[in-house]
Amino acid sequence: MDSFYIVGGNQLNGEVVIGCAKNSILPILAACILVQDDVYLENVPKYSDVIAMTKILSHLGAKIEWKGDDLLLNCKNICLCDVPDELACVVRSSIFTLGPISARLGKAKVAYPGGCDIGIRPIDIHLSGLRHFGCKIIEKNGYIYSDASKLKCADFMLPFASVGATENIMMLASLTDGESRIYNPAKEPEIVDLACFLNACGADISGQGGNVIAINGVKKLHGTKYKAISDRIEAGTFMIATAMCGGEVILKNADINHNQSLICKLRKTTCQIEGDSDNIIVKSHNRPLSFGEVETEIYPGFPTDLQAPICSLASICDGYSIIIENLFESRFKHVGELLKMGCDIRIKNGVAFIRGKEKIFGASVSATDLRGGASLVLAGLVADGYTTVDNIKYIDRGYYNFEDKLSSLGANIKRIKCEKKVDNC
Ligand code: EPZ
């Protein structure tokens, strides 16, 4: 498997363009199953999770064509309703196809999803939501079977504001006759983006981003041309990298409104941050002070996807920091790797206690999941000496051209391709 070779100590200066949001594009790809016309998606980064989702759509019978960075899809001739294990197990977002296939074809057979190993990640809210709309759901032999021949509009209260479950239910309801409501939905910008995409295809959805999403089901959805929002987690990762390395970085195609919880923490470290809905400017000229405490929450709270990257920042801040992970029960796997670099972190009951060090040291470390892998790269950028990060296939799931973007800002990082023949890759 490929790895990154990083020599620490360089500042980051210049401009970088943030890509479109992975966690928008993945549900939007699933939503294309509902549409019987051409859908043209602009600026789609080739995240490996996106490639995996296009393979699922192709399996179902969709026509997929890359046009440079744009993606042309047509799901008119979708005829299969099953997503086999070998395709579903690659990504968490495969479960997002359950609602759309059920609504479009009247039945579905989808294997359990995969995704980063950051917790148990059940799908009970997805299933109870679809059942509420009349889907007869049976779980058997690792598959979810859905009979959606008798769908009915409904009001559904999520017991927890699950992002994926909100998306699955919203997609099913958009083609379910009558008026439905989703109470306690997730409010992430990616939820709003999916609703905007569906409305661009002729759906009738309102209230997205608020406490109640209202959906008037329509008979059919038409094609559209669409560009997903900017990836706030990639933008946040680059903001944290700049705070750690020092320098002045302009993030193009980044919306400052989507990262307010992170920005208020970074400003506490003496980082200067300003911007608007298109660009963010980050300036850092001193060793960052500790931001104090971070607790991951549903949006607009501090995003769990930036918990690992901010652990790396805390590891070199001047002072003590506390990081509480509330969303996923196994999302501190990167800490074991950071300890190899001389970081001073203790974990107790889902809380990381971190004493910032003036110096950490390069080491050979391994990515354990997508955002944990990114946190190791950030630590390598400031460590004394060189760091190798293995298993970067995890990083490729959600960062596209990561090393090229960092290099363009002055980082000393390169990808080491693993020759197929060597066994120990
Ligand atoms: C989405 O995952 C994102 N993935 C995750 O990003 C992100 O961390 C997460 O939302 C939270 O923001 C995609 O959008 C593809 P959830 P999802 O359902 O939908 C529990 C990344 O790094 N839960 O909001 O799986 C669950 O166990 C990835 O880009 C249930 O109990 O997240 C967790 O504790 C990682 N039952 C909490 O809710 C369910 O049916 C949040 O999960 C569903 C979820």
Coordinates of all heavy atoms in Angstrom, one line a residue, residues 22-23 26 92-93 96 118 121-126 160-165 167 188 304-305 327-329 331 370-371, ligand 1:
K22 N -17.1 15.7 0.1 CA -17.3 14.2 0.0 C -18.6 13.8 0.5 O -19.4 13.1 -0.1 CB -16.2 13.5 0.7 CG -16.4 12.0 1.0 CD -15.4 11.3 1.7 CE -15.5 11.5 3.2 NZ -16.5 10.6 3.9
N23 N -19.0 14.4 1.7 CA -20.2 14.0 2.4 C -21.4 14.6 1.8 O -22.5 14.4 2.4 CB -20.0 14.2 3.9 CG -19.0 13.3 4.5 OD1 -18.6 12.3 3.8 ND2 -18.5 13.5 5.7
L26 N -21.5 12.0 -1.9 CA -21.9 10.6 -1.7 C -23.4 10.4 -1.6 O -24.0 9.6 -2.4 CB -21.2 10.0 -0.5 CG -19.7 9.9 -0.7 CD1 -19.0 9.4 0.7 CD2 -19.3 8.9 -1.8
R92 N -19.4 3.4 3.8 CA -20.6 3.6 4.7 C -21.8 4.1 3.8 O -22.9 3.8 4.1 CB -20.3 4.7 5.7 CG -21.4 5.2 6.6 CD -21.9 4.1 7.6 NE -23.0 4.6 8.4 CZ -23.6 3.9 9.4 NH1 -23.2 2.6 9.6 NH2 -24.6 4.4 10.1
S93 N -21.5 4.9 2.8 CA -22.5 5.6 2.0 C -23.3 4.6 1.2 O -24.4 5.0 0.6 CB -21.9 6.6 1.1 OG -20.9 6.1 0.4
F96 N -26.9 4.5 1.9 CA -27.7 5.6 1.4 C -28.5 5.2 0.2 O -29.4 5.9 -0.3 CB -26.9 6.9 1.0 CG -26.1 7.5 2.1 CD1 -25.1 8.4 1.8 CD2 -26.3 7.1 3.5 CE1 -24.3 9.0 2.8 CE2 -25.5 7.7 4.5 CZ -24.5 8.6 4.2
I118 N -14.7 3.5 13.2 CA -14.6 4.5 14.2 C -15.6 4.2 15.3 O -15.9 5.0 16.2 CB -14.8 5.9 13.6 CG1 -16.0 5.9 12.8 CG2 -13.5 6.3 12.8 CD1 -16.3 7.3 12.2
R121 N -21.4 1.9 14.6 CA -22.1 2.5 13.4 C -23.3 1.7 13.0 O -23.4 1.2 11.9 CB -21.2 2.7 12.2 CG -19.9 3.5 12.6 CD -19.1 3.9 11.4 NE -19.6 5.1 10.7 CZ -19.0 5.6 9.7 NH1 -17.9 5.1 9.2 NH2 -19.5 6.7 9.1
P122 N -24.3 1.6 13.9 CA -25.5 0.8 13.6 C -26.3 1.6 12.5 O -26.0 2.7 12.2 CB -26.3 0.8 14.9 CG -25.7 1.9 15.7 CD -24.3 2.1 15.3
I123 N -27.3 0.9 12.0 CA -28.2 1.5 11.0 C -29.7 1.5 11.4 O -30.6 1.6 10.6 CB -28.1 0.8 9.6 CG1 -28.4 -0.7 9.7 CG2 -26.7 1.1 9.0 CD1 -28.5 -1.3 8.3
D124 N -29.9 1.3 12.7 CA -31.3 1.1 13.2 C -32.2 2.3 13.0 O -33.4 2.2 12.7 CB -31.2 0.8 14.7 CG -30.5 1.9 15.5 OD1 -29.4 2.4 15.0 OD2 -31.0 2.3 16.6
I125 N -31.6 3.5 13.0 CA -32.4 4.7 12.7 C -32.8 4.8 11.2 O -34.0 5.1 10.9 CB -31.7 6.0 13.1 CG1 -31.3 5.9 14.6 CG2 -32.6 7.2 12.9 CD1 -30.4 7.1 15.1
H126 N -31.9 4.4 10.4 CA -32.2 4.3 8.9 C -33.4 3.4 8.8 O -34.4 3.7 8.1 CB -31.1 3.7 8.1 CG -29.8 4.5 8.0 ND1 -29.4 5.1 6.9 CD2 -28.9 4.8 9.0 CE1 -28.3 5.8 7.1 NE2 -27.9 5.6 8.4
F160 N -32.0 10.3 17.2 CA -30.8 11.0 17.2 C -30.6 11.6 15.8 O -31.0 11.0 14.8 CB -29.6 10.0 17.5 CG -28.3 10.7 17.5 CD1 -27.8 11.4 18.5 CD2 -27.5 10.8 16.3 CE1 -26.6 12.1 18.5 CE2 -26.3 11.4 16.2 CZ -25.8 12.1 17.3
A161 N -30.1 12.8 15.7 CA -30.0 13.5 14.5 C -28.9 12.9 13.6 O -27.9 13.6 13.3 CB -29.7 15.0 14.7
S162 N -29.1 11.7 13.2 CA -28.2 11.0 12.3 C -28.1 11.6 10.9 O -29.2 11.8 10.3 CB -28.6 9.5 12.2 OG -28.1 8.9 11.0
V163 N -26.9 11.9 10.4 CA -26.8 12.4 9.1 C -27.3 11.5 8.0 O -28.2 11.8 7.2 CB -25.3 12.8 8.8 CG1 -25.0 13.1 7.4 CG2 -24.8 13.9 9.8
G164 N -26.8 10.2 8.0 CA -27.1 9.3 7.0 C -28.6 8.9 7.0 O -29.2 8.8 6.0
A165 N -29.1 8.8 8.2 CA -30.6 8.4 8.3 C -31.4 9.5 7.8 O -32.4 9.3 7.1 CB -30.9 8.0 9.8
E167 N -30.7 11.6 5.5 CA -30.6 11.6 4.0 C -31.4 10.5 3.4 O -32.1 10.7 2.4 CB -29.1 11.5 3.7 CG -28.3 12.8 4.0 CD -26.8 12.6 4.1 OE1 -26.3 11.5 4.2 OE2 -26.1 13.7 4.0
E188 N -26.5 19.4 9.2 CA -25.3 19.7 8.6 C -25.5 20.4 7.2 O -26.5 20.2 6.5 CB -24.5 18.4 8.4 CG -23.7 17.9 9.5 CD -24.5 17.4 10.7 OE1 -25.8 17.4 10.6 OE2 -23.9 17.0 11.7
T304 N -17.1 16.0 14.6 CA -16.3 14.9 14.9 C -15.3 14.6 13.9 O -14.2 14.0 14.2 CB -17.2 13.6 15.1 OG1 -16.4 12.5 15.4 CG2 -18.1 13.4 13.9
D305 N -15.5 15.0 12.6 CA -14.5 14.7 11.6 C -13.2 15.5 11.7 O -12.3 15.2 11.0 CB -15.1 14.9 10.2 CG -16.2 13.9 9.9 OD1 -16.3 12.9 10.7 OD2 -17.0 14.1 9.0
L327 N -19.5 11.5 19.5 CA -20.3 10.8 18.4 C -19.9 9.4 18.2 O -20.8 8.5 17.9 CB -20.1 11.6 17.1 CG -21.0 12.9 16.8 CD1 -22.4 12.4 16.7 CD2 -20.9 13.9 17.9
F328 N -18.6 9.1 18.2 CA -18.2 7.7 17.9 C -17.3 7.1 19.0 O -16.4 7.8 19.4 CB -17.4 7.7 16.5 CG -18.3 8.0 15.3 CD1 -18.2 9.2 14.7 CD2 -19.1 7.0 14.8 CE1 -19.0 9.5 13.6 CE2 -19.9 7.3 13.7 CZ -19.9 8.6 13.1
E329 N -17.6 5.9 19.3 CA -16.9 5.3 20.5 C -15.5 4.8 20.3 O -14.8 4.5 21.2 CB -17.8 4.2 21.1 CG -18.0 3.0 20.2 CD -19.2 3.2 19.2 OE1 -19.6 4.3 18.9 OE2 -19.7 2.1 18.8
R331 N -13.0 6.5 18.1 CA -12.5 7.5 17.2 C -11.2 8.1 17.7 O -10.8 9.2 17.4 CB -13.5 8.5 16.8 CG -13.1 9.2 15.5 CD -14.2 10.0 14.8 NE -13.9 10.2 13.4 CZ -14.6 10.8 12.5 NH1 -15.8 11.3 12.9 NH2 -14.2 10.9 11.3
L370 N -9.8 7.5 8.0 CA -9.6 8.6 7.1 C -9.1 9.9 7.9 O -8.0 10.4 7.6 CB -11.0 9.0 6.5 CG -11.2 10.3 5.8 CD1 -10.1 10.7 4.8 CD2 -12.6 10.4 5.2
R371 N -9.8 10.3 8.9 CA -9.4 11.6 9.6 C -8.2 11.3 10.5 O -7.4 12.2 10.7 CB -10.6 12.2 10.3 CG -11.8 12.3 9.5 CD -11.6 13.2 8.2 NE -12.8 13.2 7.4 CZ -13.0 13.8 6.2 NH1 -11.9 14.4 5.7 NH2 -14.1 13.8 5.6
Ligands
EPZ1 C1 -21.8 10.8 8.4 O1 -21.7 9.5 8.8 C2 -20.4 11.1 7.7 N1 -20.2 10.2 6.6 C3 -19.3 10.9 8.7 O2 -18.1 11.3 8.1 C4 -19.5 11.8 9.9 O3 -18.5 11.6 10.9 C5 -20.9 11.6 10.5 O4 -21.9 11.7 9.5 C6 -21.3 12.5 11.7 O5 -21.2 13.8 11.2 C7 -20.9 10.5 5.4 O6 -21.7 11.4 5.3 C8 -20.6 9.5 4.3 P1 -24.4 9.5 11.7 P2 -23.0 8.7 9.3 O7 -25.5 8.6 11.2 O8 -24.2 9.1 8.6 C9 -25.2 6.8 15.5 C10 -15.8 11.2 7.4 O9 -14.8 11.1 8.1 N2 -26.2 6.1 14.6 O10 -24.7 10.9 11.9 O11 -22.7 7.3 9.5 C11 -23.8 6.4 15.1 O12 -23.4 5.2 15.7 C12 -17.0 10.4 7.9 O13 -16.0 11.9 6.4 C13 -27.1 5.2 15.2 O14 -27.0 4.9 16.4 O15 -23.1 9.3 10.8 C14 -23.0 7.6 15.6 O16 -22.8 7.4 17.0 C15 -16.8 9.5 9.1 N3 -28.0 4.6 14.4 C16 -24.0 8.8 15.4 O17 -25.3 8.2 15.3 C17 -28.1 4.9 13.1 O18 -29.0 4.3 12.4 C18 -23.7 9.7 14.2 O19 -23.8 8.9 13.1 C19 -27.2 5.8 12.5 C20 -26.3 6.4 13.3

